[in-house]
């Protein structure tokens, strides 16, 4: 994996967006803790899991004028030095034209060995600052396990689910079976 680009000072989202606009078109970048970080191509297993999640969540979201999209950047006014790109983002209402959203209702990250520490650390902290976000999923890639992070009246809580479980998604008036997430991904 390519190391993060080095900056003398922490980059803010506004500067990052201008910077990334002038990057070559063959790579994607996200901003984590004020540092631009390149995204590597994903394995076929990772992509299969993302496709499964995206298809199921898009079907659920359609009933609420929602869209499940891969590769949409997420912004939060609470953290001006982050612009991560989760694997799947669900938004409701009109789509923005710039590839970013600040009002996701649900998102999913498929954990990779090279990014797992960032996904479970800096990105999890960031996602918890997005006011519109109700739930996010941290999806393990090597085993059928999903961490379901949900915002409730008392704050955020996390619950792990396994291969025989179903994730309730009242935000989309539906459910997502863990078996659907891993269908055809070669995980038992």
């Amino acid at each position: 994996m390519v190391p993060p680009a080095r900056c003398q000072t922490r980059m803010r989202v506004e500067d990052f967006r201008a910077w990334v606009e002038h990057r070559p078109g063959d790579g994607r970048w996200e901003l984590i803790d004020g540092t631009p970080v390149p995204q590597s191509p994903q394995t076929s297993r990772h992509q299969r899991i993302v496709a499964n999640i995206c298809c199921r969540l898009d079907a659920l979201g359609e009933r609420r004028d929602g869209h499940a999209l891969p590769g949409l950047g997420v912004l939060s006014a609470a953290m001006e030095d982050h612009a991560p790109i989760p694997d799947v983002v669900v938004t409701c209402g009109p789509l923005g034209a710039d590839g970013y959203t600040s009002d996701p209702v649900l998102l999913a990250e498929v954990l990779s060995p090279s990014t797992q520490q960032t996904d479970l650390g800096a990105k999890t902290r960031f996602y918890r600052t997005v006011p519109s976000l109700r739930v996010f999923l941290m999806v393990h890639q090597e085993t059928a396990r999903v961490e379901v992070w949900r915002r409730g009246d008392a704050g955020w809580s996390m619950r792990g689910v396994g291969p025989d479980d179903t994730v309730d998604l009242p935000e989309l008036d539906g459910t997502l079976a863990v078996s659907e997430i891993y269908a055809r991904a070669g995980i038992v």
Side-chain angles (χ1 to χ4, degrees), residues 32-53:
I32 305 296
D33 285 331
T35 302
V37 178
Q39 288 195 321
S40 314
Q42 301 299 331
T43 65
S44 55
R45 174 181 282 171
H46 186 282
Q47 291 179 35
R48 174 79 263 159
I49 293 168
V50 168
N52 291 343
I53 295 168

Side-chain angles (χ1 to χ4, degrees), residues 14 20 25 31 87 116 139 148 176 179:
E14 181 180 335
V20 81
L31 185 66
D87 290 303
Q116 185 167 328
V139 180
V148 181
L176 176 60
S179 61

Side-chain angles (χ1 to χ4, degrees), residues 115-133:
T115 64
Q116 185 167 328
Q117 184 175 351
T118 300
D119 293 342
L120 295 173
K123 285 187 177 184
T124 295
R125 285 189 301 279
F126 170 80
Y127 295 145
R128 293 170 62 164
T129 73
V130 179
S132 62
L133 191 61

Side-chain angles (χ1 to χ4, degrees), residues 4 7 9 25 52-53 75 79 99 135 137:
C7 300
T9 60
N52 291 343
I53 295 168
L75 304 175
M79 293 182 79
V135 63
L137 310 175

